[in-house]
Amino acid sequence: MGLLSGSCAFVKYSVLGDLPQSGFWEFVADRVRRNAFQDIDDNFNEFSIGWVSVADLLDSSFEISDYAVADNIVLGLRVDQRKVSGAILKKFCAKEEARIKKERGIPKLSRDQRLEIKENITLKLVKQALPTPVKYDLWWNLAENTVYFFSTQGKAQELLEDFFKRTFDLGLMRQIPYTVAENLLAGDILETPLADLYPAEFV
Amino acid sequence: MDLVELMKEKEFVGQDFLTWLWLASESINSDGFFEHEGNPVVLLFDYNMKLECGAGDACNQLIFKTASGSASSLPEIKLAVQQGKKISQAQILISWKDLEFICKLDGSLLELTGIKLPKTVAGDDEDGYEARILERIYLAEQLSRIIDSLFLYYLKKRLTPAIWKQELVQFRDWLNE
């Protein structure tokens, strides 16, 4: 569902804050490099987030395709996460609880004991799980200072807003119909101010 | 007012726009009642649409699912609008110049999903990659600009009481046909 996919979806953001007056591309190169995606396939980290090429989620050094395309920046936001399904966790917790009850000869475990088992099992299973990769594309239109983000998922949008801020020290504000209307009407003087608009009655 | 509050309080802005867009394209002239950069924009609504009785949690959704392009649901949709329902989501085919876009437009957030941009011609080699990105960017931007232009066209009518009144008369006549 990304920029290059046959079918896609996007939302728009306004970029908040000032871009560097000089050395903009050096600034971008430095920030993208420092926040490029780091693989977690060979360690036990649960989560990793970083920039990759839009064309290839394995390309975090942008050797295959550049992020600078004319007056635009195109980036893939890769998120890898180790996840354990609820059903698997439940099964292994039940097995461990049964083992401990049998070993100690007790009929039931306390709430604290069950919580401790759950924590330990989660940790063990997360380490065994393979990280699932997801890539969300973004296109930063520098002429308009607008970001098009190719996902309508709330969770993905939260990740983008945080990571964009962390990378570029610039905020993102989601464009909603009312703020789009404010921008489109900027400078126009109409009989009814936008702020006085009320729901229309078509019948 | 923060963005979340603003979003909630002004949710009707996008829904009203989408409802107007459907009414305008059906009742006035679907073959280009509006121009974008000097070329007519042709809108064709699919009758797979979602209507609601208004913004808010207690809204009563009404979802139409018909074969793509089928007009058999038109009387039902007209009746729902006459009962005060507004369109909250619709799939639209937008033709402009020699380009055709298909997208699903969500009224409350003006979110675009299920977008099918016109096919690009650039190849997969290194030069082709940049050309392909630029083509896709151009097409996504055009789609966004067409929606923005339509939205501005609507806002100017909506915020000018005499023009809006005339517009409503046309819609009501068409709905009662």
Side-chain angles (χ1 to χ4, degrees):
Chain A
M1 295 290 276
L3 176 60
L4 298 173
S5 310
S7 175
C8 61
F10 63 75
V11 293
K12 281 168 75 178
Y13 285 93
S14 301
V15 180
L16 309 173
D18 297 325
L19 301 178
Q21 293 292 312
S22 62
F24 174 74
W25 287 106
E26 288 78 7
F27 163 80
V28 172
D30 176 54
R31 297 303 179 93
V32 170
R33 185 183 49 79
R34 279 162 45 187
N35 292 280
F37 180 78
Q38 304 284 320
D39 223 330
I40 53 171
D41 285 350
D42 299 325
N43 58 44
F44 295 124
N45 291 347
E46 273 183 58
F47 181 85
S48 181
I49 183 168
W51 303 115
V52 293
S53 149
V54 158
D56 185 352
L57 62 77
L58 299 178
D59 181 18
S60 55
S61 54
F62 300 90
E63 282 168 10
I64 299 167
S65 53
D66 201 355
Y67 54 80
V69 180
D71 199 10
N72 304 282
I73 293 172
V74 286
L75 287 164
L77 179 65
R78 179 170 163 186
V79 182
D80 276 27
Q81 198 165 8
R82 291 180 203 276
K83 282 184 192 164
V84 179
S85 86
I88 293 175
L89 182 65
K90 203 173 164 184
K91 183 184 85 174
F92 280 89
C93 285
K95 278 174 94 174
E96 183 65 0
E97 284 174 18
R99 189 190 67 77
I100 292 175
K101 280 191 281 190
K102 193 177 172 191
E103 190 182 273
R104 297 182 188 169
I106 49 174
K108 58 192 264 191
L109 298 171
S110 70
R111 189 173 175 276
D112 285 350
Q113 283 172 317
R114 281 189 283 123
L115 277 176
E116 194 186 335
I117 289 168
K118 192 176 177 186
E119 259 175 42
N120 292 338
I121 295 289
T122 304
L123 212 62
K124 189 177 154 193
L125 292 178
V126 161
K127 282 182 180 177
Q128 288 172 1
L130 290 172
T132 308
V134 193
K135 178 172 76 68
Y136 308 103
D137 294 341
L138 79 83
W139 155 39
W140 184 355
N141 180 332
L142 296 171
E144 291 178 5
N145 217 7
T146 303
V147 163
Y148 289 64
F149 184 55
F150 289 77
S151 174
T152 51
Q153 291 173 28
K155 180 74 189 154
Q157 290 169 10
E158 275 176 35
L159 288 170
L160 168 78
E161 289 160 25
D162 289 346
F163 199 68
F164 193 88
K165 175 88 182 159
R166 205 201 307 173
T167 303
F168 301 109
D169 294 321
L170 294 166
L172 287 178
M173 190 175 82
R174 177 76 194 274
Q175 293 185 4
I176 59 167
Y178 189 79
T179 56
V180 172
E182 279 180 326
N183 291 335
L184 290 172
L185 290 169
D188 281 331
I189 298 164
L190 295 163
E191 275 181 59
T192 311
L194 179 65
D196 292 351
L197 198 62
Y198 54 87
E201 288 177 18
F202 291 96
V203 285
Chain B
M1 193 185 295
D2 72 14
L3 192 66
V4 177
E5 283 174 34
L6 192 67
M7 221 188 273
K8 211 169 176 182
E9 193 183 308
K10 304 289 184 183
E11 196 183 1
F12 69 88
V13 175
Q15 269 187 13
D16 283 357
F17 163 61
L18 191 52
T19 306
W20 167 84
L21 194 60
W22 178 70
L23 284 166
S25 71
E26 292 278 352
S27 68
I28 300 175
N29 181 6
S30 63
D31 295 335
F33 68 91
F34 165 79
E35 285 191 351
H36 172 64
E37 295 178 358
N39 290 285
V41 176
V42 179
L43 299 168
L44 190 63
F45 275 73
D46 188 294
Y47 293 111
N48 283 331
M49 54 173 69
K50 200 187 273 183
L51 288 99
E52 294 177 5
C53 65
D57 297 334
C59 67
N60 172 21
Q61 284 190 357
L62 189 69
I63 302 167
F64 289 93
K65 282 199 181 295
T66 63
S68 181
S70 162
S72 60
S73 289
L74 184 60
E76 213 177 345
I77 299 170
K78 279 173 95 170
L79 186 65
V81 174
Q82 280 175 312
Q83 288 169 346
K85 290 193 167 58
K86 291 179 179 176
I87 299 170
S88 58
Q89 198 180 68
Q91 183 165 298
I92 315 170
L93 185 146
I94 300 171
S95 295
W96 177 70
K97 296 209 276 193
D98 57 347
L99 302 173
E100 269 194 7
F101 304 88
I102 294 174
C103 63
K104 196 174 266 183
L105 187 60
D106 171 271
S108 54
L109 288 171
L110 286 189
E111 244 172 31
L112 291 167
T113 56
I115 303 166
K116 288 195 175 82
L117 298 172
K119 283 213 164 75
T120 49
V121 291
D124 286 333
D125 57 0
E126 202 173 316
D127 293 339
Y129 165 77
E130 188 164 329
R132 194 158 169 237
I133 291 275
L134 284 170
E135 274 186 318
R136 296 284 293 185
I137 281 175
Y138 167 78
L139 293 169
E141 190 172 28
Q142 283 307 330
L143 175 60
S144 179
R145 282 189 177 175
I146 291 169
I147 302 287
D148 281 354
S149 298
L150 283 162
F151 191 32
L152 179 61
Y153 184 69
Y154 158 75
L155 288 166
K156 286 188 172 172
K157 281 177 180 276
R158 179 70 185 90
L159 295 169
T160 310
I163 295 176
W164 184 244
K165 210 173 161 185
Q166 282 175 17
E167 196 89 343
L168 288 179
V169 170
Q170 286 192 72
F171 293 160
R172 286 166 188 166
D173 286 348
W174 179 75
L175 284 168
N176 289 322
E177 270 174 15

